[in-house]
Amino acid sequence: MTEDIYVLGIETSCDETAASVVKNGKEIISNVVASQIESHKRFGGVVPEIASRHHVEQITLVIEEALTQAGMAPNELDAVAVTEGPGLVGALLVGVNAAKAFAFAHQLPLVGVHHIAGHIYANRLEQEMEFPLLALVISGGHTELVLMKEHGDFDVIGETRDDAAGEAYDKVARTLNLPYPGGPHIDRLAHESDGAIEFPRVWLEEGSYDFSFSGLKSSVLNYLHNAAQRGEEIPPEHIAAGFQNSVVEVVTAKAVRAAAQYKVRQVIAAGGVAANKGLRTSLTAAFDEKGIPFYIPPLALCTDNAAMIAAAGTVMFEKGIRGTMAMNGRPGMELASWT
Ligand code: KG4
Ligand code: ZN
């Protein structure tokens, strides 16, 4: 009989302070997330210094709560997994230092996890991953298509050349005077709308799996600016619907083409924008038609959490990957395969 593996995950790369205990990389035993959104709202975005300060205040409480909810003592754990990067440096440092202190105090192995690997492995908390696999990672900081031939093997076949999709959502929302984070508000308005402004689709060169959203964002801003100069009132929901249509059409088409080209057995979505209703509907319909299994984790696992970090960290731990007490937060960390 093989022993069960219990990993404590810690995530502080942006504006959520999170800790979680996961069993065998698949089963959530506890999952605690302290969100700072309310503190950043009035600034219209995440303020790094405020984020770091909140993480410092919350981290010990959140880790304790994750252990309490799991009903576990530190000596029952097998490892500590923490987001090493990418993210805000001051925010990452809080989690990395907490993880190092915890691992040192309880003599546990330490594993440093890439945030995007975490978003991808959130799916394993729901069902087993089948390879080759295509992951669409779409969040406030990332828009990537990642091909995986096996566990821990990451090949980024497409990425954004400028803004991440979530970033574009948040900026367009801001010009429409919607609260931060704006993604969910644009999504809601788009669904309520009875019309849509036609904005360009940015395909880039033939065959490219890369994305670009800053041109789309600029054309929305120009459209609003021109309308204002003419004294015209544009219903915000028509803007929201037009913008969302453009994002959804391009993302869906590229994901479907990549899945077909690489003959993948499974497609998964990850990241905050994967919560988008328009995108979920479009991707589900497109992959249904192609007969390719497609999954999106539940909302709470799409946005930042520590269960996904523990899930990815467990596979790294099983592969014998270990961090050291010299670990640092790495704001620009690249997604590298686990070898
Ligand atoms: O994954 P996440 O929580 O943080 C990052 O790692 O970036 O993603 C946050 C992003 C924000 O830009 C937010 O506006 C966007 O996800 N988002 C959405 C929706 N829900 C969250 N964007 C579009 N539609 C949504 N329903
Ligand atoms: Zn994230």
Side-chain angles (χ1 to χ4, degrees):
M1 201 183 84
T2 51
E3 287 279 309
D4 288 328
I5 298 174
Y6 291 91
V7 172
L8 171 70
I10 298 175
E11 152 69 38
T12 65
S13 68
C14 190
D15 60 348
E16 333 276 353
T17 317
S20 159
V21 177
V22 168
K23 180 179 171 182
N24 297 329
K26 296 178 193 173
E27 193 184 324
I28 296 177
I29 306 298
S30 67
N31 190 16
V32 179
V33 181
S35 173
Q36 313 174 355
I37 284 182
E38 286 306 319
S39 304
H40 298 287
K41 236 179 195 165
R42 67 196 172 105
F43 302 106
V46 176
V47 183
E49 285 78 6
I50 293 177
S52 310
R53 215 172 310 150
H54 277 297
H55 286 310
V56 170
E57 284 167 13
Q58 293 294 321
I59 189 71
T60 316
L61 300 170
V62 166
I63 292 174
E64 272 173 14
E65 183 63 22
L67 289 171
T68 304
Q69 285 186 14
M72 290 180 77
N75 65 6
E76 292 174 275
L77 296 168
D78 294 281
V80 182
V82 62
T83 307
E84 192 177 354
L88 303 169
V89 68
L92 288 166
L93 274 174
V94 178
V96 167
N97 283 308
K100 286 202 289 192
F102 192 95
F104 182 74
H106 303 291
Q107 292 299 300
L108 291 167
L110 179 68
V111 184
V113 179
H114 192 283
H115 184 78
I116 294 305
H119 272 303
I120 293 173
Y121 272 83
N123 282 274
R124 196 165 180 238
L125 298 162
E126 292 289 306
Q127 75 275 309
E128 201 40 84
M129 290 158 80
E130 305 271 353
F131 303 102
L133 173 152
L134 179 73
L136 166 67
V137 183
I138 185 158
S139 72
H142 303 270
T143 312
E144 289 170 11
L145 284 169
V146 183
L147 182 66
M148 294 179 70
K149 296 209 177 75
E150 58 185 335
H151 278 297
D153 174 80
F154 305 103
D155 183 6
V156 179
I157 59 168
E159 62 194 325
T160 182
R161 296 191 185 165
D162 38 61
D163 293 356
E167 201 179 340
Y169 262 97
D170 293 339
K171 285 179 182 163
V172 167
R174 203 172 166 166
T175 50
L176 294 176
N177 293 317
L178 297 167
Y180 173 84
H185 297 280
I186 301 247
D187 196 13
R188 178 179 43 80
L189 282 182
H191 278 269
E192 290 167 4
S193 186
D194 58 357
I197 313 283
E198 192 66 17
F199 291 117
R201 273 50 174 162
V202 182
W203 298 107
L204 301 172
E205 318 81 73
E206 170 123 22
S208 173
Y209 291 122
D210 280 351
F211 300 96
S212 166
F213 296 106
S214 81
L216 170 62
K217 177 194 67 194
S218 303
S219 64
V220 172
L221 302 196
N222 285 339
Y223 189 92
L224 284 169
H225 183 71
N226 290 340
Q229 282 193 330
R230 289 194 303 267
E232 258 176 65
E233 281 272 350
I234 309 290
E237 63 271 24
H238 288 185
I239 301 281
F243 168 77
Q244 177 143 316
N245 286 347
S246 172
V247 174
V248 166
E249 186 180 325
V250 173
V251 170
T252 303
K254 293 208 179 207
V256 167
R257 187 158 53 78
Q261 179 181 339
Y262 293 100
K263 301 188 171 54
V264 301
R265 291 180 58 200
Q266 193 180 73
V267 179
I268 60 180
V273 184
N276 186 274
K277 275 196 247 112
L279 188 61
R280 290 169 96 100
T281 309
S282 163
L283 288 168
T284 304
F287 286 114
D288 249 14
E289 196 193 311
K290 293 268 172 202
I292 303 173
F294 171 66
Y295 302 104
I296 313 180
L299 208 55
L301 295 178
C302 278
T303 49
D304 289 352
N305 64 86
M308 68 185 198
I309 301 302
T314 304
V315 179
M316 296 177 77
F317 172 75
E318 287 172 313
K319 284 179 176 278
I321 298 168
R322 301 287 182 271
T324 70
M325 285 296 144
M327 189 190 287
N328 216 333
R330 292 166 61 194
M333 186 177 182
E334 296 276 336
L335 179 62
S337 293
W338 304 333
T339 45

